[in-house]
Amino acid sequence: DGNDSTKFAVLDADGNMQVNGNLNVNGTGNNYFAGNVGVGTDTPTAELEVFAAGQESAVHIDADSNQQSALYFDKGGEYKTALYRPADSDDLRIWGASNQSDIITFKNDGSGNVGIGTTNPQNLLDLGSSLGKKIAVYQNTDGTDFYGFGIDHDTLEFYAAVDPNGSPAMVLKKGGKVGIGTNNLSFPLTVVGAGSDTVWLGTSNTIGPGIVLGGGTAFKLRATSEGDGEGSNKFVISNVGSGANLFSLKYNGNIGIG
């Protein structure tokens, strides 16, 4: 430009080009750089490095309103993972090639909801509608010692120390029924033990807190040694209101009524 001597382009003997001004590449074919490219830096240490001294450093990926914007991560020339904005929403999603579907969705509707396995999360963290184990609190490297939570039809499952095919230790059914050691529930609480003892209520000296049955006139079932000294344990049914013992079965087989 003869009117502005401060703008120039220099190509030296080594093939290096220096442009003092704007550089526009208008070719319609494929354009490439064999080495690292620096934006805001002349010493890039990666294929693309962006630096903005004293201000925000950002990369903008834009597209027409009816097109998606995406950043693809390839391996051997094949798509493996993508971070993208769909054409039909403002959400941010992570896509995976292994199942050809979205893995994680970050909603951009003001809710802040995140979906794993669903593109329409209804909660802050939504794990979708798939059944099976959902959250691992702990799991060893080969997956044979799983502690966590799962979901089945109308059932919340609690797992402890199970392998991939293990059954839950406890379940909570829709409607409030609870099962320990079983998923076959006919009562509000069903306990099935693997050993000789199914339920244990007690402290170190076998004086148990008991089980309360009934409503207004409730009964309490408990194990105690009160009145007979240590080592003379008995099973007692008492009136919760009055505290009076109605029935007792001593360790030696003696029965007391009233």
Side-chain angles (χ1 to χ4, degrees):
D1 188 342
N3 296 323
D4 189 352
S5 60
T6 63
K7 295 182 179 180
F8 60 85
V10 177
L11 180 65
D12 63 23
D14 296 325
N16 299 315
M17 175 178 285
Q18 180 180 351
V19 177
N20 187 11
N22 296 329
L23 174 63
N24 297 315
V25 180
N26 298 317
T28 58
N30 294 330
N31 301 287
Y32 68 91
F33 296 88
N36 296 343
V37 176
V39 179
T41 175
D42 57 4
T43 56
T45 59
E47 285 79 2
L48 175 62
E49 183 173 335
V50 179
F51 175 74
Q55 62 182 11
E56 174 188 351
S57 181
V59 176
H60 289 238
I61 301 177
D62 197 5
D64 291 335
S65 59
N66 62 342
Q67 299 292 327
Q68 74 176 26
S69 302
L71 182 63
Y72 290 92
F73 300 87
D74 300 354
K75 183 178 180 180
E78 296 181 0
Y79 293 155
K80 294 300 181 180
T81 310
L83 179 66
Y84 79 104
R85 176 196 57 79
D88 58 355
S89 80
D90 294 328
D91 300 339
L92 182 65
R93 298 179 184 174
I94 298 177
W95 174 89
S98 60
N99 53 4
Q100 295 290 307
S101 65
D102 296 316
I103 301 172
I104 302 176
T105 296
F106 302 90
K107 294 296 289 184
N108 188 21
D109 57 2
S111 67
N113 292 347
V114 177
I116 300 177
T118 176
T119 58
N120 188 30
Q122 301 299 307
N123 305 281
L124 287 178
L125 178 60
D126 196 326
L127 302 182
S129 59
S130 62
L131 303 180
K133 297 182 179 70
K134 305 287 277 189
I135 298 177
V137 179
Y138 168 82
Q139 181 167 280
N140 61 354
T141 55
D142 59 5
T144 59
D145 193 19
F146 174 79
Y147 293 77
F149 307 94
I151 194 75
D152 201 352
H153 298 286
D154 297 330
T155 304
L156 178 62
E157 300 174 327
F158 301 81
Y159 291 87
V162 299
D163 60 29
N165 298 316
S167 299
M170 184 172 72
V171 297
L172 174 61
K173 290 276 191 178
K174 179 181 179 180
K177 291 181 179 179
V178 176
I180 300 175
T182 179
N183 195 32
N184 185 16
L185 309 184
S186 300
F187 305 97
L189 174 62
T190 302
V191 180
V192 176
S196 58
D197 295 322
T198 299
V199 180
W200 170 260
L201 295 174
T203 61
S204 59
N205 61 0
T206 73
I207 301 176
I211 302 175
V212 176
L213 305 174
T217 305
F219 300 93
K220 184 174 184 179
L221 286 68
R222 60 197 175 96
T224 180
S225 60
E226 61 187 12
D228 295 311
E230 290 293 333
S232 302
N233 300 314
K234 57 188 175 183
F235 176 75
V236 175
I237 300 176
S238 60
N239 184 292
V240 172
S242 66
N245 292 338
L246 306 177
F247 172 91
S248 64
L249 173 63
K250 295 191 69 173
Y251 72 98
N252 58 8
N254 291 344
I255 295 176
I257 300 176

